[in-house]
Amino acid sequence: MQTQPTTTADLPRHSDLVEERLVRWYLIAACVYLTIAMLGGFLMGFQMIRYNPLAGIEIFSPGRWRMIHTNGVAYGFIATAFLGVLHWVVPRITLHPVLDHRLSYFIFFAWQVVILGTVVGIMLGEAQGLEWGETPVWIDPLAQVGLGLVAINFMAPIRHVKGPMYVTLWYFTAAFIWTFLTYAMGNFIPQYFVTGTSAGAIGGMFIHDLVGLFVTPLGWGAMYYFVPILLKKPIWSHGLSLVGFWGLAFFYPLTGIHHFLYTPIPMFLQYGAVLSTIAVEMVVTTVIVNFFATIRGSTGALRENIPIRWFYTGMVFYFLTCLQCAFQTTLTFQALIHFSDWVVGHAHMVMYGVFSQWLIGMMLYLFPRLWRTDWYSRRLLEWQYWLSAVGIAIMSADLIILGVFQGYMWASLAPWSDVIQFSIPWWALRIVSGVMIFASHMIFMTHMLLTWMKAVAERKQEAASNPSTVAQTV
Amino acid sequence: MSVTLKPQSKKLGGSSVWTTVIFALLILIPCFVAFSNKLREFILLYSGQVDGVFAISPIVNYLLASLGFFFLFWWGICNGMFARMEEPKRDFLVQEWQLDQAQADYESKPDGDKNHDDISVYEQSARMN
Ligand code: HEM
Ligand code: HEM
């Protein structure tokens, strides 16, 4: 690959490469944002079953907190956690630190300003009228500059790589460029340059490019890094993983308009989106095949190794959600499920069931290494996993099935209020499954605290018994 | 731990390269001609209409983005990025183990055994915390 060291002596030291404190900060911040975002989900969820505990308070209006929920999970949790993971992975694969650690700290603080500014802006009613880009317009330039700096900071080590690059780096490189361009396209063009259907088409491309060209390549790239390390064997086929990468590069950018099928957007663009989505389905299949072929013969790891369990649970949900996508992207099926809870089910299954499960798996692997100690309790790990897995399985099944019923009820011209009445018990079940997911997250946060305290105690003990060993960062 | 990383895959022979090139041209040239023709027809159909630019611009955007990727792909081929296709997956794992090993060795050394220059700024700041 890029590096040809033959002994450990030729290698730079991990502590020179990775700024561990920053990784810890990012991961902890991400978990805090996920907590806030989930509370927003509950507020909206309670509103939908007609029990809003904070009714009448404008800054707690469920409409606003729905946006805090979606932006919170996308930018607060997923993006922040990925930034932390990148600070670990990129320097280790390239054997070069990021461009400048001071820049990394600056980006960290700027990113917190962007997220908190978004939350406050939305609470005060200053959301931008763009789906998934509700960040107030005055934050957009800062976020855009920040994304540029992120790209520069991480591309510096990748630039040093010579010879065939490992697939993770292909994905990350593309994600840095794509995210910068996607953000610019989605947040500025519909706001300042185009209107009407054109703005709708751009908005559709923005939504899907955000999930497909920012979340997906970072997620896949990170999985190609962590899974082989944990299974202690290489990925089944590197060639196939590259087919996946180039397939994503060529087919994904055109799929976005599948969010707006049956709209006034010209039909040829809608057909184009459907066709390229079918192509993307095949690309996704290559990735799934590769990961399942890799674990063949090592399935025992699913029982023993908790991060691997999270990764492969996410993989199963990935398979399921892609199967779901294969249906929902066809025009026949779209006519039935568009605007229904089927789509909300898809969104939760893929954003939580897949990418958040992968990120939590990564955190479960990284925190013990960052704190130089094992997790405090295996039992808590098991509780966290089962509550989360069962919770998201119930939530997605509940919403997806409800979506089909809603679609048929609308098609049979049932009165709107009947459909709402019918949906309420299903939405109540969503709250129940949400409580399970939230409980899992609270267990995780508590467990982090307990493990951190254990690490501090161990370091103190070590320092007392052997004062000459270096006190590690805790 | 000492690991030697050897190239494993074989180089393609001259006849294989020619076969690949001929087949690639056989497929790509008709595709390219057909696609350009259709695009030309499409542009002629829409030019002069009010929503013409809107109809064409997403396609042009997509083509430009794909062209960028095509050049990246080409650059990758010329720089041997796909030469030893399966090797990076092993090299990266070996490197990971070596990094962990080196760090573990380093952390287990008592302070006195460490070359002072060897202590990174990050570690120094960590000690001060
Ligand atoms: C092959 C992969 C995928 C396909 C084919 C696909 C397809 C679709 C389609 C057709 C819709 C629109 C449904 C409608 O409104 O009727 C949709 C919505 C959505 N998808 Fe996906 N999707 C895929 C992957 C993903 C991924 C990876 C993510 C997240 C990381 C994601 C997140 C979402 C979200 C959040 C929505 C709802 C958007 C909204 O608020 O309107 N999807 N997807
Ligand atoms: C903890 C429990 C959760 C509850 C109670 C909850 C509830 C909700 C509610 C009520 C909505 C609005 C649906 C609508 O407008 O019809 C929503 C939307 C959404 N939630 Fe959650 N949520 C939870 C957790 C999560 C998590 C953990 C994620 C991702 C990591 C997530 C991602 C989303 C997304 C992407 C949407 C937008 C869906 C769309 O526009 O189609 N939610 N959630």
Side-chain angles (χ1 to χ4, degrees):
Chain A
M1 192 177 54
Q2 54 272 20
T3 46
Q4 295 296 322
T6 50
T7 63
T8 49
D10 301 337
L11 289 173
R13 255 206 339 271
H14 161 86
S15 39
D16 288 337
L17 293 173
V18 176
E19 180 62 353
E20 289 194 352
R21 182 167 41 186
L22 206 53
V23 181
R24 285 194 296 272
W25 285 4
Y26 268 120
L27 300 187
I28 292 170
C31 289
V32 173
Y33 291 136
L34 183 59
T35 313
I36 299 172
M38 282 185 183
L39 292 175
F42 278 119
L43 196 60
M44 184 68 197
F46 278 118
Q47 166 77 10
M48 291 174 83
I49 57 168
R50 298 186 188 159
Y51 177 76
N52 178 358
L54 301 173
I57 310 173
E58 196 184 341
I59 56 166
F60 288 117
S61 122
R64 294 183 190 176
W65 275 82
R66 186 199 191 278
M67 289 184 267
I68 294 180
H69 176 60
T70 52
N71 283 269
V73 292
Y75 306 116
F77 177 63
I78 294 186
T80 309
F82 269 131
L83 280 169
V85 169
L86 285 170
H87 274 283
W88 178 279
V89 178
V90 173
R92 280 182 70 105
I93 302 197
T94 58
L95 296 181
H96 283 85
V98 292
L99 180 67
D100 192 324
H101 284 304
R102 284 163 306 182
L103 179 60
S104 300
Y105 277 100
F106 172 75
I107 294 172
F108 175 82
F109 289 111
W111 188 239
Q112 309 315 306
V113 171
V114 168
I115 294 169
L116 295 173
T118 304
V119 173
V120 173
I122 292 177
M123 273 173 91
L124 297 177
E126 293 214 12
Q128 183 178 355
L130 171 81
E131 198 181 356
W132 286 100
E134 289 94 352
T135 349
V137 277
W138 41 270
I139 303 236
D140 289 345
L142 178 62
Q144 189 68 51
V145 173
L147 288 173
L149 292 177
V150 168
I152 294 169
N153 206 22
F154 285 114
M155 285 307 289
I158 296 179
R159 204 171 45 86
H160 290 286
V161 173
K162 303 269 183 306
M165 229 170 27
Y166 186 56
V167 62
T168 297
L169 291 181
W170 279 112
Y171 274 120
F172 286 176
T173 307
F176 296 134
I177 301 167
W178 281 333
T179 310
F180 181 82
L181 295 178
T182 301
Y183 195 87
M185 171 187 80
N187 281 271
F188 298 105
I189 298 184
Q191 179 75 25
Y192 302 109
F193 301 108
V194 293
T195 49
T197 321
S198 313
I202 302 273
M205 287 176 102
F206 169 66
I207 299 175
H208 214 76
D209 285 0
L210 206 62
V211 299
L213 302 180
F214 152 61
V215 182
T216 302
L218 288 181
W220 286 0
M223 291 300 283
Y224 278 118
Y225 173 83
F226 287 104
V227 169
I229 290 177
L230 281 161
L231 288 179
K232 299 191 175 59
K233 61 179 183 188
I235 191 77
W236 181 58
S237 165
H238 191 246
L240 190 63
S241 71
L242 289 179
V243 170
F245 170 77
W246 289 101
L248 190 81
F250 285 113
F251 298 129
Y252 224 115
L254 208 59
T255 60
I257 289 166
H258 66 206
H259 285 255
F260 294 134
L261 298 177
Y262 291 118
T263 56
I265 294 174
M267 225 36 217
F268 75 89
L269 280 180
Q270 301 189 29
Y271 290 139
V274 172
L275 281 178
S276 53
T277 307
I278 293 169
V280 166
E281 289 288 340
M282 293 178 197
V283 173
V284 163
T285 310
T286 65
V287 178
I288 294 175
V289 166
N290 216 350
F291 279 106
F292 279 99
T294 305
I295 201 168
R296 241 181 108 213
S298 315
T299 39
L302 292 172
R303 232 184 1 261
E304 304 306 326
N305 192 319
I306 296 277
I308 279 289
R309 202 192 290 169
W310 281 83
F311 291 160
Y312 276 85
T313 308
M315 210 68 79
V316 171
F317 279 122
Y318 200 57
F319 170 73
L320 291 176
T321 197
C322 289
L323 193 69
Q324 183 197 10
C325 296
F327 286 105
Q328 79 193 21
T329 202
T330 58
L331 286 161
T332 325
F333 219 73
Q334 260 291 311
L336 182 71
I337 56 86
H338 190 58
F339 294 131
S340 78
D341 268 300
W342 168 287
V343 182
V344 183
H346 162 65
H348 282 92
M349 179 141 75
V350 70
M351 296 273 276
Y352 184 74
V354 181
F355 288 93
S356 303
Q357 301 251 335
W358 286 352
L359 280 167
I360 292 171
M362 291 171 211
M363 290 183 191
L364 288 166
Y365 167 77
L366 287 176
F367 274 123
R369 311 191 94 211
L370 290 164
W371 284 327
R372 311 280 193 277
T373 190
D374 281 340
W375 283 104
Y376 179 81
S377 149
R378 172 83 190 192
R379 183 181 275 205
L380 285 180
L381 288 177
E382 294 286 350
W383 272 102
Q384 180 200 356
Y385 169 78
W386 286 107
L387 279 170
S388 155
V390 176
I392 186 61
I394 295 178
M395 188 186 274
S396 348
D398 174 50
L399 294 172
I400 290 169
I401 297 170
L402 170 61
V404 177
F405 283 129
Q406 288 170 333
Y408 277 116
M409 286 179 87
W410 291 330
S412 68
L413 301 181
W416 174 254
S417 55
D418 286 4
V419 182
I420 299 288
Q421 212 53 46
F422 173 81
S423 304
I424 285 181
W426 300 76
W427 287 334
L429 183 59
R430 181 234 315 264
I431 299 273
V432 175
S433 54
V435 169
M436 294 172 79
I437 294 174
F438 191 69
S440 158
H441 188 57
M442 286 302 102
I443 290 177
F444 186 34
M445 299 279 277
T446 316
H447 201 187
M448 271 158 57
L449 186 68
L450 292 172
T451 308
W452 175 74
M453 281 160 48
K454 173 172 164 259
V456 173
E458 282 172 4
R459 288 302 86 79
K460 277 194 186 141
Q461 212 172 10
E462 238 168 62
S465 60
N466 185 2
S468 63
T469 41
V470 176
Q472 279 306 318
T473 46
V474 179
Chain B
M1 182 167 60
S2 161
V3 183
T4 319
L5 309 172
K6 282 190 221 122
Q8 289 178 350
S9 43
K10 281 185 284 174
K11 266 199 137 189
L12 281 182
S15 61
S16 314
V17 171
W18 277 112
T19 318
T20 314
V21 170
I22 289 168
F23 270 101
L25 291 180
L26 266 178
I27 295 168
L28 290 178
I29 291 175
C31 289
F32 185 74
V33 172
F35 180 76
S36 320
N37 247 339
K38 281 288 157 197
L39 188 67
R40 196 178 56 87
E41 268 176 36
F42 179 68
I43 292 173
L44 287 178
L45 189 74
Y46 268 91
S47 50
Q49 290 191 20
V50 187
D51 59 351
V53 178
F54 163 60
I56 291 157
S57 65
I59 301 248
V60 172
N61 271 350
Y62 172 71
L63 288 178
L64 281 179
S66 297
L67 202 66
F69 275 109
F70 179 74
F71 283 128
L72 185 66
F73 189 56
W74 196 250
W75 172 88
I77 294 174
C78 296
N79 283 278
M81 288 289 172
F82 312 113
R84 301 180 307 275
M85 191 71 98
E86 294 300 315
E87 242 171 63
K89 70 179 187 190
R90 290 186 208 95
D91 294 355
F92 127 81
L93 263 189
V94 172
Q95 180 183 303
E96 274 293 317
W97 289 326
Q98 288 179 331
L99 271 174
D100 283 350
Q101 183 70 42
Q103 183 70 15
D105 288 351
Y106 178 74
E107 282 177 15
S108 61
K109 272 195 222 167
D111 250 3
D113 290 0
K114 286 178 182 167
N115 175 353
H116 193 69
D117 296 339
D118 217 26
I119 296 174
S120 64
V121 268
Y122 311 115
E123 224 160 356
Q124 287 171 21
S125 69
R127 280 185 195 194
M128 282 186 278
N129 284 341

